[in-house]
Each structure stands twice: as structure tokens, then as C-alpha cells.
Amino acid sequence: MKKFLALLLTGVMVLSLAACGGKKEEAPAETPAETPVEAPAEGGGTIGVCIYKFDDAFMTTYRNALQEILEGKGYTVTVVDGNNDQAKQNEQINTFITQGVDALIINPVMTSAAATIIDTVKSANIPTVLINREPTADEMAAYDKLVYVGADASQSGTMQGELILDTANKGDINGDGKVSYIMIQGDPENIDAQLRTEYSVKALTDAGVEVEQLNLTRGDWDREKGQTICANDLAQFGDQIEVVFCNNDDMAIGALQSIQSAGRKVNEDIYLVGVDALDAALNEVQAGNMTGTVLNDAKGQASQAVECMEGLLAGDTYAAGEQSVYVDYVKVTPDNVAEFMK
Ligand code: GAL
């Protein structure tokens, strides 16, 4: 496990050297066009962290990792809960700015609010790292002291599809020549939900597998919604369902409860995949109750975000089109699940 962690960290570090290196600030011109960012006081600075909502399983792991890394480095950190309310988060950002934080790390509530958020932090000249909900490259290009740290959601979708392709019957449990699935989607406003939905199925069709979508329902990343949606779909489609694709693990854990209540058995008469590699999902993968999941590396992304933030504080700037830094997803199956368990 230690070796795995060391490898993972090395991977992150290598990536960060390549990925997190914004341009170093040039020697100041005679008349600087902008006020330079004030260097934080010796022994750390003050950092504001905005999370879209605390009541999200993956973002809980992520924010805890962020807080631990930042505090470990001597920063004074305040982490606030946006309660899934963009207006509230806008106020929180403004409060942080008024308080004079040295840098911000923001997990936007609405991806569609990114342009406004960027405008606000730019006007205040605060170095900012956006996380988890990726805006467009054009929106980010408005401010060169801004970077996005996340993961390429299409990669996780592809890996979910591969988990199904790797099963003995490539997902076609009833042998009728097509894979019939339900899709339990996250919040569709979020690019992670859009791309995972698209690419999980694309991996199957790219491999020449015929697919049939029985239903697609938004579950907003939420365990209880995952459970209800899956229960309804099982009641409606019964044995026709061969694969349950969930955009994240929390919804998959909910779906598993309904699968078990319906007397179905994962990996025998139905397949189930998620994303995130939450501890609960790792346990289910190991027990054979989930076909697999995909590691969404919260700790890796948190350390990358902090590294990028420190680069910005040291004067790094980012060119348009080079403002997204990705940490790789990793496929998790019963064969390698032990490596991810604490
Ligand atoms: C995704 C993650 C979900 C949820 C979402 C919030 O990357 O897989 O579980 O946390 O972010 O935006």
C-alpha cells in the first residue's frame, strides 16, 4: 500500500511539474499594468475554500484532503459550504475578498456561473484555483491568475464502459445480442455527468457492441435518489436490465440496495458500475457486489490544487487554452481493489 501511495504521489508530482507550471512572472515592466499579487506573510497565508455543498460524499473526501494539506503547510484555511446555492456561494466569495484572503480555491455550485466568478476574482486580483466543475477554456482565458484542477471526465466514462466490456459476456447477460442498460446520471449541468453518460456507452459502441438504453434519469450524485431511481427502473424493466451505469459511487451504493431488495445478484444477473472509489464502493467491489468503479483521485487533485495555488502565489500566470490541469482516473476491479483500500 505504501508503495502504491508512493507511486501515486510520484505520478502526481511528475504530472504537476508538467501540468502546474504556469509561466513565471516576468521582471516587472516599468509601469506594471496590473497590481502585483501581494505575497502571503511568512509562514503561510490565508486561503478561502468554497465547496458547492458539504453534503456530497466525494467532495467531503476532497475538502478534508485540501484542508489537511493546506494546514499542514501552515496556511490559515476557512472552508465554507455553498449549500448547493450559487447566490450563497457568490456572497461567500465576496466575503473572502473583503477579508483579504491571499488565494481562493473554488468548487463552483453552477458551472454556468463560472464566468461571473472569474470576473469577480479577477477584479479583486485574487489568484484562484477552480476545482471539480470545469468551466470552458474561453471563460478561463479572461484571467491569467486562474487555473482549473480536475480530471478528464470522458476518461472515467470510457473506463466504466471498459469495466463492462471486460466481463465474460461483455454485458450481454441474456445473450440477445445487445446490452440493455439504465443510466443514473449526476447533475446534468455538470460536465462530469454529461461526459460520463456519453463515454461509458461510447466505449461499448466503439467496441462494436449493440446497446439499448432503457432509461436515463438524473440522480444529482445522491445516494437516496440512486436507490429510488433504480427501484423504479427494476419495477418497470425487471430482468431486461443487464447493466446499471451510475455516474458516481454514491448513487451506485443506493442502486445496489434496490438491486439486492429485488433479489438480483451483481455480476451474475446484473452489472453495476460507479465512479469515485469511495470507501463504501471499494468494499462492495471487493465483496463482488459492484462490478467495478473508477478512482476519482480526491487526494491527488487536492495536492495538485494546492501546488497550483502556490505557483500562482509565487507569480505563475497561465496562457489561454492551458488552464486545465488533469489528474488521471484509475480503473478499479476486484483484481486491484486491495491496493486502493486503507
Ligand atoms: C464528481 C464526483 C461526484 C460529485 C461531483 C460533484 O466528480 O464523481 O461524486 O462529487 O463531482 O460535482
Side-chain angles (χ1 to χ4, degrees), residues 138-162:
D138 279 354
E139 286 166 338
M140 290 194 275
Y143 185 35
D144 64 358
K145 289 173 200 156
L146 177 120
V147 59
Y148 170 77
V149 174
D152 173 5
S154 64
Q155 187 189 38
S156 53
T158 302
M159 287 179 176
Q160 286 190 295
E162 287 170 358

Side-chain angles (χ1 to χ4, degrees), residues 233-286:
D233 284 348
L234 284 164
Q236 187 177 352
F237 302 105
D239 289 348
Q240 283 181 71
I241 304 175
E242 295 169 292
V243 174
V244 179
F245 281 113
C246 296
N247 280 176
N248 77 344
D249 279 347
D250 220 21
M251 296 189 296
I253 300 289
L256 175 61
Q257 287 164 13
S258 299
I259 288 170
Q260 290 174 330
S261 302
R264 303 281 294 270
K265 179 86 185 77
V266 171
N267 291 339
E268 285 178 22
D269 58 31
I270 195 162
Y271 293 116
L272 172 66
V273 288
V275 175
D276 281 340
L278 296 181
D279 289 345
L282 294 175
N283 288 334
E284 299 300 357
V285 171
Q286 192 173 49

